[in-house]
Amino acid sequence: MCGIIGITSTKPVSSSIINSLKKLEYRGYDSAGIATLLDGKINEVKCEGRVKALETNISKIKMLGTVGIGHVRWATHGVPSTLNAHPHSSESVSVVHNGIIENSTLLKKFLVEKGHKFKSQTDTEVIVHLITEYLKENDLKNSILKMLKKLHGSFALGIIFKDQPDLIVGARRGSPLAVGYGPNENYLGSDSYALKSMTNKITYLDDGEFCILKKNSVEFFDDTGKKVNKSVLELSNEEGDYDKGDYKHFMAKEIEEQPITIKNCINEYIDKINNDINLLNFPWKQNEISSIVLIGCGTAYHSCLMAKHWFEQLTDLDISVDIASEFRYRKNKFKSESLYIFVSQSGETADTYAALDLCNKNKMKTCSVVNVVESSIARDSKFVLPIHCGPEIGVASTKAFLGQMLVLYLFSIKIAFVRGSIDKDKYQTKIKSLLSLADLVKNTLDTDNQIQSACNSFVDAKGSMFLGRGSSFPIALEGALKLKELAYIHAEGYPAGEMKHGPLALIEDGMPVVVIAPRDYYYNKTISNMQEVIARGAKVLLITNKSTDEIFSENIWQKIEVENTDDDLLPFLITIPLQKLAYHSALKKGYDIDKPRNLAKSVTVE
Ligand code: M6R
């Protein structure tokens, strides 16, 4: 993962680098560092921990260099430590790297034999020594080309040189990299968001390209060293909402703003006058598609599972779902009448991007459901369905999950109608129900008190289970993922009907189990499964929807009832108490809610 930044200017760059690094912290936050160049000398400051700590360290010294690079790290090779923090430097160059060098062990052997001494445990350091080695007999451009040819794996690089007073080299393969243009200064960054406070003029490097930035010029080259012309994109000046406001955590804010993000998204897609869903410029005719493959990671994968349920209920299409890291290495049977949908909040997840790339290379129909519309996944998909959620900063995905489900649901009912699988009446009734979704979500946010009391049992538990059937199974997986990720409590999401095939053995006296049983087609079956875990001592927190019908079960420990609505929309409401359960459990344990241990917001390594 990791985030990189580079600035070449006429003025000192360290404070702008720090500001950009703060924006890149979503990519990694176990250590941070910066290197600037002044009077032929590279100065480095690095530390374990957050950018804030780096900022404090830098404030104690004067870093006056006018060219510099910075890095936030998510450790892959070597523990998080000051020593392993980037930049890594030799007597002649300093390098920041996002990605993984897969042949670093072999390269290190070759370099050690040539007398190079390594200081860190990172894979990145081989890059430093390779360039240093090639610079002995080659000019800068040829040294870069030779070094790039040696590397296997994925990388975005920023490199400064002791003998080049205003120059930065950027290079990418697999990992994203953007160049930004300013007055008498130019920038390099892992994404345009990191550069946004300095410029809205951006060029994205394509795979295999490298660039040479000076304060007054930028040149791009392909992997053979041939110059390439690239266009400059002008991004909107709109700054998203990156402020916590009065909330203690971004996650709390992002949970609470879900009614607004749902409303925004609905306004973008639903034509209220004609009671219709707009999928403007959808490039394929309905008879060109006979199956859909949905691909994502983590929470995005769960929204794919949810979409499978809706597409299967509403359409005649064949639907399959895959985890991106599995799909990319599977022997896939690509079919021209398949539509491949890639779901990703960040649009930068390495595995999801690789799966998309594979489909593009096989000339498939590719569509993405993303939050960040300037991301690599959005840029390289043939059709994009944005979720219109605004920036999601908390590492745990909340409002983006609801946004992904919403867009996929809108898409499924539109496709169902266009294909004639549902009639106009059903189509428009579903749209009408959607118009009240934001208010229903808002009402569900009031479950705080109940959730807070339930938390104690989860916080003290050895483990927990989340059970559901049908559309509640993906929600069970999502609830369990949130609890693991934030409160570090072992939690398993399971299809309720599958318990007796093994996991029932885990149930013991007092174990907290969340049972998701809305009064849908699966209700009676799930209630029976709930009985089975209660009989074995589980403390069941039942989440269902309001009804006048009694629940035929005794000894339910706690019950949360969400509002009644179209069955298809219940997963949106049921997700809310699960988000809160994870949030309050983590709060009780005193954990870093917005930046859980070992994780990063955007997973840019495979
Ligand atoms: O940016 P993406 O949606 O592609 O990210 C995918 C997962 O890494 C992400 O959803 C992750 O599982 C979340 N941290 C879960 O809350």
Side-chain angles (χ1 to χ4, degrees):
M1 269 107 68
C2 309
I4 68 174
I5 178 83
I7 305 179
T8 170
S9 177
T10 48
K11 4 179 246 265
V13 290
S14 60
S15 66
S16 301
I17 289 180
I18 289 289
N19 286 339
S20 294
L21 287 181
K22 284 183 183 161
K23 295 191 167 161
L24 287 172
E25 251 186 340
Y26 75 90
R27 303 175 78 91
Y29 39 80
D30 61 42
S31 50
I34 175 169
T36 61
L37 177 66
L38 187 69
D39 300 332
K41 191 167 174 292
I42 293 172
N43 299 302
E44 253 184 18
V45 182
K46 313 199 276 191
C47 69
E48 197 182 330
R50 307 280 159 88
V51 177
K52 198 92 199 98
L54 180 71
E55 187 174 28
T56 310
N57 290 352
I58 288 177
S59 67
K60 294 180 193 148
I61 52 165
K62 276 206 170 96
M63 271 195 120
L64 296 174
T66 55
V67 57
I69 48 179
H71 190 266
V72 281
R73 179 167 187 251
W74 184 86
T76 57
H77 292 58
V79 294
S81 67
T82 302
L83 194 74
N84 288 329
H86 300 209
H88 292 284
S89 307
S90 68
E91 64 283 3
S92 44
V93 298
S94 189
V95 175
V96 285
H97 166 217
N98 166 33
I100 292 180
I101 305 304
E102 286 167 357
N103 57 340
S104 61
T105 312
L106 268 182
L107 292 173
K108 187 168 175 181
K109 194 163 170 271
F110 156 79
L111 289 157
V112 167
E113 278 163 12
K114 289 202 168 285
H116 290 261
K117 298 226 170 350
F118 283 72
K119 291 179 267 190
S120 75
Q121 302 154 321
T122 65
D123 51 341
T124 305
E125 210 181 332
V126 296
I127 303 172
V128 176
H129 293 286
L130 276 177
I131 313 170
T132 308
E133 180 65 25
Y134 293 135
L135 278 172
K136 289 178 189 163
E137 289 176 6
N138 299 274
D139 62 9
L140 183 138
K141 198 174 140 196
N142 279 314
S143 303
I144 293 296
L145 271 169
K146 285 188 138 186
M147 174 275 291
L148 292 175
K149 281 211 172 83
K150 284 275 182 197
L151 303 182
H152 294 177
S154 65
F155 51 81
L157 303 174
I159 311 164
I160 57 172
F161 301 77
K162 182 169 96 43
D163 298 329
Q164 302 283 346
D166 81 330
L167 183 147
I168 304 176
V169 167
R172 80 158 273 199
R173 192 191 299 157
S175 308
L177 195 60
V179 163
Y181 308 84
N184 289 325
E185 51 185 38
N186 289 310
Y187 324 99
L188 194 68
S190 291
D191 63 21
S192 57
Y193 168 50
L195 308 180
K196 212 156 190 175
S197 60
M198 302 180 282
T199 184
N200 66 341
K201 294 192 172 58
I202 298 287
T203 298
Y204 292 101
L205 270 79
D206 286 313
D207 237 20
E209 290 179 344
F210 71 99
C211 60
I212 297 182
L213 264 70
K214 294 184 178 175
K215 57 180 180 287
N216 287 315
S217 68
V218 181
E219 291 178 303
F220 295 93
F221 304 92
D222 68 12
D223 57 0
T224 64
K226 203 168 119 226
K227 229 171 152 172
V228 284
N229 291 323
K230 296 190 64 81
S231 49
V232 179
L233 306 171
E234 201 140 324
L235 305 181
S236 90
N237 280 324
E238 244 173 70
E239 277 282 352
D241 184 6
Y242 299 109
D243 193 356
K244 275 207 287 267
D246 291 335
Y247 290 94
K248 245 186 171 160
H249 302 99
F250 277 107
M251 184 185 177
K253 177 178 175 246
E254 285 155 8
I255 290 175
E256 296 300 316
E257 66 194 15
Q258 291 178 113
I260 303 170
T261 55
I262 284 180
K263 206 170 257 172
N264 290 346
C265 189
I266 282 181
N267 287 343
E268 291 290 337
Y269 285 100
I270 294 187
D271 167 356
K272 288 184 192 145
I273 296 170
N274 297 308
N275 219 4
D276 195 6
I277 295 167
N278 285 327
L279 290 182
L280 297 178
N281 305 323
F282 185 69
W284 303 289
K285 295 197 186 71
Q286 48 109 350
N287 62 2
E288 290 177 313
I289 298 170
S290 66
S291 62
I292 295 183
V293 184
L294 295 132
I295 296 163
C297 302
T299 289
Y301 168 68
H302 299 156
S303 59
C304 293
L305 289 174
M306 200 61 240
K308 175 178 161 73
H309 172 85
W310 289 319
F311 275 113
E312 281 176 346
Q313 294 292 313
L314 298 167
T315 75
D316 58 331
L317 294 164
D318 281 337
I319 311 295
S320 53
V321 177
D322 217 332
I323 291 175
S325 55
E326 292 293 317
F327 178 88
R328 64 182 290 190
Y329 294 115
R330 176 163 296 143
K331 196 171 162 216
N332 293 297
K333 293 191 177 60
F334 290 106
K335 291 189 197 129
S336 59
E337 68 285 5
S338 291
L339 171 65
Y340 291 81
I341 303 181
F342 300 86
V343 184
S344 173
Q345 186 285 132
S346 61
E348 298 296 349
T349 300
D351 285 319
T352 313
Y353 182 81
L356 164 69
D357 193 44
L358 186 65
C359 290
N360 280 339
K361 284 184 176 134
N362 281 280
K363 305 206 170 358
M364 293 295 104
K365 301 180 178 74
T366 56
C367 163
S368 60
V369 173
V370 292
N371 195 26
V372 183
V373 287
E374 290 133 9
S375 61
S376 309
I377 290 176
R379 289 200 312 276
D380 290 353
S381 315
K382 296 188 180 123
F383 184 66
V384 183
L385 291 164
I387 62 170
H388 300 288
C389 279
E392 188 182 69
I393 311 291
V395 164
S397 194
T398 51
K399 61 177 181 173
F401 179 57
L402 256 59
Q404 290 161 356
M405 289 202 295
L406 179 56
V407 167
L408 289 164
Y409 181 61
L410 286 161
F411 192 42
S412 68
I413 54 180
K414 177 75 183 192
I415 297 262
F417 176 58
V418 172
R419 296 179 76 82
S421 314
I422 57 172
D423 62 21
K424 193 166 181 182
D425 242 27
K426 192 164 178 185
Y427 175 59
Q428 297 204 321
T429 310
K430 290 204 174 285
I431 293 178
K432 228 164 149 206
S433 305
L434 271 167
L435 296 179
S436 58
L437 181 62
D439 287 339
L440 292 171
V441 167
K442 192 157 181 255
N443 296 344
T444 317
L445 289 169
D446 285 338
T447 44
D448 250 55
N449 289 343
Q450 263 177 292
I451 286 292
Q452 285 195 38
S453 74
C455 277
N456 294 323
S457 296
F458 284 85
V459 164
D460 296 332
K462 264 198 309 202
S464 61
M465 301 214 63
F466 289 66
L467 309 179
R469 284 173 174 248
S471 66
S472 300
F473 171 52
I475 303 302
L477 289 175
E478 176 61 8
L481 175 62
K482 289 282 103 84
L483 195 68
K484 285 186 261 219
E485 167 175 46
L486 292 161
Y488 318 153
I489 297 168
H490 183 75
E492 263 194 75
Y494 234 83
E498 195 49 24
M499 287 296 284
K500 57 182 97 51
H501 300 288
L504 206 51
L506 289 170
I507 304 291
E508 53 186 49
D509 224 23
M511 183 187 202
V513 174
V514 176
V515 175
I516 304 169
R519 289 153 201 272
D520 59 9
Y521 173 68
Y522 300 89
Y523 176 68
N524 290 326
K525 299 286 168 202
T526 314
I527 293 296
S528 300
N529 299 137
M530 178 177 77
Q531 278 310 146
E532 290 157 8
V533 293
I534 290 177
R536 282 152 185 91
K539 276 173 98 172
V540 164
L541 166 61
L542 170 68
I543 307 186
T544 183
N545 53 325
K546 287 182 183 153
S547 165
T548 48
D549 294 347
E550 231 179 291
I551 298 165
F552 292 107
S553 174
E554 285 174 359
N555 299 326
I556 298 168
W557 170 56
Q558 293 217 28
K559 184 174 71 180
I560 292 178
E561 289 179 319
V562 301
E563 299 281 342
N564 255 326
T565 177
D566 184 323
D567 280 1
D568 289 349
L569 302 184
L570 288 169
F572 292 87
L573 308 189
I574 290 170
T575 300
I576 307 288
L578 299 182
Q579 293 173 340
K580 287 186 178 257
L581 178 68
Y583 176 80
H584 286 295
S585 301
L587 196 65
K588 278 211 159 70
K589 291 180 115 179
Y591 293 153
D592 190 341
I593 290 182
D594 287 332
K595 292 194 174 77
R597 70 181 179 204
N598 305 338
L599 301 177
K601 181 71 182 157
S602 175
V603 183
T604 57
V605 291
E606 68 167 298

